[in-house]
Amino acid sequence: MSVRTEIGTANGTVNGTEPAGGKDATDATGGNATGGSVGEGVALVTLDRPERHNAIDLDMAARLASVWRALRVDDRVRAVVLTGAGEKAFCTGIDRSAEVPQPSSPYSADDPLLTVGPKANDLWKPVIAAVNGMACGGAFYLLGEADFLVAAENAAFFDPHTTYGMVSAYESIAMAGRMPFGEAARMALMGSAERISARRAHETGLVSELAPAGGAVAAALRCAAVIASYPTAAVQGTVRALWAAREGARATALAQAPHLIALGNLPPAEQAGLFRARRREFRLR
């Protein structure tokens, strides 16, 4: 499975595909390799392709949408933590091996990442992102729809789009809503030459809490357990109010994104050439 879900219940932790009262409960003080327990009312969603730096292929994209839609109607769940398997990467965006057929019309485009986030699937239960290692490019579709971020000291954020001749549209719009404008602009424009450290991300407000290496999930689970102990209707209404404050500007910007991409992206073959010729060096700030 490219996406794993664990749900904390009064009887322990169950697999997210198991219905309430299911038989595969494990000890609530263990059952996962994150260093933290999944408390009652909390779901832990894990991107599980560590061998590919948790890059999103078409299967994972479909599974993420399915997971968020399922959590909408699962009354056992009142708060969610989203993370990536392993210590090297939270997510590195779309898997470059994924083939996405495009319509022949210049007025239409298919982007499988548009439906991978919780808000895109009408989930208003709070989602906390726990970031270990790299988070870049298309990962911002997910981070941009989390309610707040917790990051391990080894986390790093960057957006390589411009380096490879691609417009950073959806990604930049997501990050401009989470960071000071100048920081979002610098990350998008510097491409793969520069990465934002977890420390700098915390200084600028992108990250709400720094955790020791390997400790992001445990820290996020602690927050989620507190939130899950509150009345869920009030919590979801608060999440909805917070996002309502952003939606006008965000909707206007997102409406322009497909046209900016169509106008500014190099042809795929030229993008691939730039990727093959990429330099491996980068500055961490």
Side-chain angles (χ1 to χ4, degrees), residues 1 6 23 39 57 85 150 153 169 190 202 214 220 226 233 243 249 271 275 282:
M1 297 285 284
E6 302 163 67
K23 296 181 179 180
D57 62 5
V150 174
E153 293 172 342
M190 291 294 287
H202 186 246
V226 172
W243 282 83
Q271 294 177 25
F275 182 79
F282 61 87

Side-chain angles (χ1 to χ4, degrees), residues 2-240:
S2 58
V3 181
R4 289 186 285 111
T5 309
E6 302 163 67
I7 296 174
T9 73
N11 298 318
T13 304
V14 300
N15 184 289
T17 61
E18 186 78 8
K23 296 181 179 180
D24 66 342
T26 60
D27 182 354
T29 61
N32 68 77
T34 64
S37 61
V38 183
E40 184 178 354
V42 176
L44 175 62
V45 177
T46 304
L47 311 178
D48 196 14
R49 300 184 73 218
E51 73 286 354
R52 297 288 293 175
H53 289 163
N54 299 315
I56 301 172
D57 62 5
L58 299 185
D59 175 72
M60 181 186 281
R63 289 182 185 276
L64 278 167
S66 178
V67 164
W68 301 131
R69 302 295 289 186
L71 292 178
R72 287 176 70 236
V73 296
D74 192 332
D75 291 338
R76 295 173 297 177
V77 176
R78 299 183 293 279
V80 183
V81 171
L82 171 66
T83 194
E87 297 300 313
K88 292 184 178 180
F90 168 80
C91 175
T92 53
I94 191 76
D95 192 317
R96 291 188 63 84
S97 66
E99 295 185 7
V100 183
Q102 293 295 326
S104 59
S105 169
Y107 304 105
S108 302
D110 287 336
D111 183 345
L113 298 188
L114 287 176
T115 57
V116 299
K119 306 302 184 289
N121 288 282
D122 198 38
L123 177 68
W124 299 104
K125 298 174 183 181
V127 177
I128 305 167
V131 182
N132 290 311
M134 293 184 290
C136 63
F140 298 160
Y141 285 74
L142 292 168
L143 297 184
E145 293 196 10
D147 296 297
F148 61 89
L149 279 60
V150 174
E153 293 172 342
N154 68 322
F157 305 83
F158 63 102
D159 187 350
H161 277 74
T162 54
T163 303
Y164 308 135
M166 295 182 285
V167 174
S168 174
Y170 293 105
E171 297 82 1
S172 289
I173 292 166
M175 290 297 100
R178 307 208 70 103
M179 306 166 67
F181 181 84
E183 289 290 321
R186 178 168 178 162
M187 180 169 65
L189 296 174
M190 291 294 287
S192 64
E194 190 172 87
R195 299 183 183 183
I196 298 176
S197 66
R199 174 192 55 79
R200 181 60 181 163
H202 186 246
E203 291 172 350
T204 61
L206 173 60
V207 168
S208 66
E209 180 181 349
L210 281 180
V217 173
L221 286 171
R222 287 193 294 271
C223 293
V226 172
I227 296 169
S229 72
Y230 300 153
T232 188
V235 168
Q236 291 185 54
T238 300
V239 171
R240 195 67 187 87

Side-chain angles (χ1 to χ4, degrees), residues 264-280:
N265 273 16
L266 289 179
E270 293 183 43
Q271 294 177 25
L274 289 172
F275 182 79
R276 288 191 297 271
R278 69 192 184 279
R279 297 177 61 181
R280 302 282 183 171

